[in-house]
Amino acid sequence: MSRLVAWLEDYILPLANKLGQAHWLVALRDAFISIMPITIAGSLAVLIRSLIMVARDDLGWTTFAWVMQPLTLISNVVWRGTFALFAMFLAMSLGFHLAKSIEVDPIAGAIVSLSSLAMSIANLTKLSVNGKVVSIHQAFNISQFSTTGIFTAILFGTIGVSIFALCCKARLTLHLSTTLPYAEQKAFDSLIPAIIAIFSVGLINFVFQTITGTYFGNWLLATLQVPLVKMGQGFGMVMLVTLLVQIFGFFGINGLSVWAPILDSIWLTAQNVNVTAVRTGHNVPFLWVRGSFDAFAWFGGTGGTLMLIVSILLFSKRSDYRTIAKVALAPGIFNINEPIVLGLPVVLNPIYFIPFIVAPLVNVAFSYWVSALGLVNPVQVAVPSIIPPIIGPFLACNYDWRAIILCLINMVIALAIWTPFVIAADKIAEASTSRSYYIRQY
């Protein structure tokens, strides 16, 4: 075990530190986090609509559904202003955070990023009128601003802001009187870099459209986004990402933050597609999404550490461990595990390396195949990560009571994996204390 930990420290830890400090990865992670209110508001709209439909179709509460119809209509309006424009919000947030990390004007960065997205998607939509398909030019299809445009927003938002930042660093700015109001001064400072960045992205898209006859955003969706999202449904890919998150977490590096660009770009995209399918009354297409990890494996935080807390309270005889567990219990219920991970500690503690890695892997594997067999609904609604276990999966799976059963089984499995190591930690600590006492006496 010591050799394995030493090897990980020598080869994995430096890579983790570099990834955690990369400007683009940090900016992309912060961009996804920043638009969480949009994600949760859109998901809440789906939950409300689904709850009313369940009451009407399964319970026969037609009067209740009729009374709640205005709430359903309001939820539809909220949907159009949140999830339906997800890529647009992501482009603005990414531009802001990327420009901020490079130390240029973040507001201008957000504008350039949004403009880059708009230039890279089709300004053409098709409608069916009386059985005939009619093409409408100079009009955006709103679906391109939803999850369909996530990769386009990331790629061209990054390109546009990068060119903008290079021009700012090269001091390609208008030097006007310092007596101008602050807002006007900032606008003029960003004028030339923004123009160069926007025209550069426009040139890229024009050349691509001329050569291929299609829009870059459409090509990117077909050749990159769709294959990657489908690849993310593979069992091996799901297990690999789970393993990497846990290994990083063992070394005190927030694996969710480091791998957020991959988790969100692939599995959050799939989750948003599922949410859209539920909202439109279609079958959900994806088995495993971003919220699946939280619902079925990372209860209490990465590592399933809520069950470590429970195991300590049930089986540990050491007062110091039990005190830490009591302090960490309330945050753990809301999936905040820093008190137990750093207070016990779990980080860099060889005793807890195996359960910290193995428990989530077993939970993810079991939940994946249970979902694949159709024994529980896939996650199809985004819920906040602080929602306690049992409640969170029930809501995330769109009021599927079987998700509660699956969550409870996973918690028992995790408890069984953690408990032998908790007991072993007690014995090791007791032996260490006895040895120290013997040394002091003699």
Side-chain angles (χ1 to χ4, degrees):
M1 182 61 65
S2 298
R3 290 181 180 178
L4 176 60
V5 172
W7 182 84
L8 291 171
E9 286 180 337
D10 292 338
Y11 295 99
I12 301 299
L13 187 58
L15 173 63
N17 285 325
K18 289 181 180 179
L19 289 174
Q21 296 171 1
H23 286 296
W24 180 77
L25 291 176
V26 172
L28 185 55
R29 177 202 68 196
D30 292 344
F32 277 108
I33 294 173
S34 296
I35 59 175
M36 187 181 297
I38 297 298
T39 304
I40 300 303
S43 293
L44 184 59
V46 173
L47 277 174
I48 292 172
R49 183 175 181 273
S50 296
L51 178 60
I52 295 172
M53 291 178 64
V54 167
R56 183 193 65 190
D57 299 337
D58 296 347
L59 302 178
W61 295 3
T62 54
T63 303
F64 172 81
W66 180 78
V67 172
M68 292 292 108
Q69 186 176 7
L71 188 56
T72 302
L73 298 176
I74 293 172
S75 297
N76 292 338
V77 173
V78 171
W79 168 268
R80 292 199 300 272
T82 53
F83 254 110
L85 303 175
F86 187 88
M88 186 181 74
F89 292 118
L90 177 62
M92 295 178 65
S93 182
L94 175 61
F96 180 90
H97 287 287
L98 186 57
K100 185 178 180 181
S101 68
I102 306 174
E103 298 181 346
V104 295
D105 185 9
I107 299 298
I111 295 171
V112 169
S113 181
L114 178 59
S115 174
S116 300
L117 168 65
M119 287 186 290
S120 306
I121 59 179
N123 60 342
L124 168 71
T125 187
K126 295 182 179 181
L127 296 176
S128 178
V129 180
N130 296 326
K132 296 182 179 179
V133 177
V134 179
S135 297
I136 302 177
H137 295 269
Q138 307 304 322
F140 290 114
N141 186 336
I142 194 172
S143 66
Q144 297 178 107
F145 287 112
S146 63
T147 54
T148 303
I150 285 181
F151 275 61
T152 308
I154 293 173
L155 176 63
F156 282 99
T158 300
I159 292 174
V161 175
S162 298
I163 296 173
F164 170 75
L166 286 173
C167 294
C168 289
K169 296 295 184 180
R171 300 185 181 277
L172 299 177
T173 58
L174 291 175
H175 299 286
L176 301 177
S177 172
T178 56
T179 59
L180 286 174
Y182 177 78
E184 292 184 21
Q185 184 65 53
K186 295 292 289 185
F188 278 109
D189 288 344
S190 303
L191 181 60
I192 294 179
I195 290 174
I196 295 175
I198 291 171
F199 268 85
S200 297
V201 173
L203 175 62
I204 293 172
N205 279 280
F206 171 76
V207 171
F208 186 87
Q209 292 172 27
T210 302
I211 295 175
T212 65
T214 186
Y215 289 88
F216 209 123
N218 293 348
W219 176 83
L220 194 65
L221 174 66
T223 59
L224 182 62
Q225 182 170 333
V226 171
L228 278 177
V229 172
K230 288 183 177 179
M231 187 185 302
Q233 299 305 297
F235 178 69
M237 188 73 162
V238 171
M239 295 295 287
L240 176 61
V241 170
T242 305
L243 175 64
L244 292 174
V245 169
Q246 295 305 135
I247 289 177
F248 279 36
F250 179 75
F251 287 99
I253 299 172
N254 192 326
L256 289 178
S257 296
V258 172
W259 294 105
I262 294 177
L263 282 165
D264 293 341
S265 299
I266 296 177
W267 284 282
L268 184 59
T269 300
Q271 178 171 293
N272 291 344
V273 172
N274 278 5
V275 174
T276 302
V278 171
R279 191 258 174 187
T280 55
H282 294 87
N283 293 328
V284 295
F286 293 111
L287 173 69
W288 196 265
V289 299
R290 176 62 185 85
S292 303
F293 295 99
D294 297 324
F296 300 130
W298 291 336
F299 27 79
T302 53
T305 48
L306 178 60
M307 303 322 295
L308 167 62
I309 297 171
V310 173
S311 181
I312 291 173
L313 293 176
L314 291 177
F315 302 106
S316 179
K317 297 179 180 179
R318 288 187 59 87
S319 59
D320 52 345
Y321 290 175
R322 292 177 62 84
T323 299
I324 294 172
K326 290 176 183 177
V327 171
L329 178 59
I333 291 174
F334 294 95
N335 301 319
I336 300 170
N337 68 351
E338 280 78 7
I340 191 69
V341 168
L342 302 177
L344 194 58
V346 176
V347 170
L348 291 173
N349 189 337
I351 299 172
Y352 293 121
F353 176 77
I354 290 178
F356 188 75
I357 301 295
V358 172
L361 288 174
V362 174
N363 286 155
V364 166
F366 181 67
S367 303
Y368 180 93
W369 291 113
V370 167
S371 300
L373 292 172
L375 300 178
V376 66
N377 286 345
V379 169
Q380 47 199 254
V381 176
V383 298
S385 60
I386 60 171
I387 297 295
I390 300 177
I391 300 174
F394 176 65
L395 296 176
C397 294
N398 202 14
Y399 307 109
D400 186 356
W401 61 269
R402 298 172 298 178
I404 298 176
I405 305 301
L406 176 57
C407 181
L408 289 172
I409 294 174
N410 275 335
M411 293 173 76
V412 172
I413 291 173
L415 179 64
I417 293 173
W418 276 107
T419 297
F421 296 91
V422 169
I423 295 173
D426 268 21
K427 293 180 178 179
I428 292 172
E430 182 180 349
S432 178
T433 302
S434 299
R435 186 166 52 252
S436 299
Y437 176 78
Y438 177 83
I439 293 172
R440 286 197 302 270
Q441 292 296 315
Y442 296 96

